[in-house]
Amino acid sequence: MDDKEVKHFYNSKEWKHKRLEILQRDLFECQDCRKRLRDAQINRIRLRGDDKEIRRAVEVHHIKELKEHPECALEDDNLISLCTQCHNLRHGRNPKRFVRKKKLVSEEKW
Ligand SMILES: [Zn+2]
Ligand SMILES: [Zn+2]
């Protein structure tokens, strides 16, 4: 899949439908937050601040990357509900909005 196909996929009716289905399946709870809490409980680790709670899931992540595995794009087992923070962590990236903002500032002409 190339970028154009990915974009097209995320705009498709099938994806919007499936995305909601997965969020509902996961009760709109971030599954990585849930895991973090469970692990902390088992290992008796103290979590701080934000990390103490399960954040609301707003994004659905492809465990096998969409670009590499388009055949798993709509498979329940390949999809997981995440909050923005955990989703960014999974992709090892900074929050998109922040990066974009920063870029804009540096590109501004005086
Ligand atoms: Zn989370
Ligand atoms: Zn993702």
Side-chain angles (χ1 to χ4, degrees):
M1 252 193 195
D2 60 30
D3 288 343
K4 218 175 134 189
E5 284 168 315
V6 168
K7 210 178 154 195
H8 183 80
F9 171 78
Y10 281 122
N11 280 320
S12 70
K13 232 188 259 166
E14 287 80 7
W15 169 246
K16 283 176 184 167
H17 183 87
K18 176 56 81 180
R19 185 184 163 278
L20 205 67
E21 201 182 294
I22 297 298
L23 285 169
Q24 277 163 355
R25 176 196 72 185
D26 294 339
L27 305 172
F28 288 87
E29 287 178 343
C30 171
Q31 300 304 295
D32 277 3
C33 283
R34 188 202 276 266
K35 186 175 181 298
R36 180 183 63 241
L37 257 71
R38 199 172 45 215
D39 288 351
Q41 216 166 33
I42 293 167
N43 300 312
R44 298 183 177 278
I45 298 167
R46 266 184 152 215
L47 296 173
R48 289 162 186 248
D50 244 21
D51 285 347
K52 271 193 291 203
E53 38 193 282
I54 297 178
R55 290 184 286 261
R56 190 175 165 82
V58 286
E59 297 175 25
V60 174
H61 170 67
H62 286 92
I63 296 164
K64 284 186 207 161
E65 237 195 290
L66 177 62
K67 272 188 183 182
E68 313 294 327
H69 298 275
E71 76 279 5
C72 303
L74 293 169
E75 268 177 26
D76 289 0
D77 289 350
N78 191 40
L79 298 167
I80 184 170
S81 304
L82 299 175
C83 69
T84 311
Q85 277 118 305
C86 291
H87 196 195
N88 283 326
L89 263 174
R90 282 224 180 200
H91 286 274
R93 67 189 173 196
N94 293 321
K96 238 189 203 165
R97 259 172 249 134
F98 180 69
V99 173
R100 205 179 282 155
K101 221 179 184 177
K102 221 171 144 191
K103 212 176 166 191
L104 261 177
V105 171
S106 63
E107 274 170 8
E108 214 168 84
K109 288 185 184 115
W110 296 93

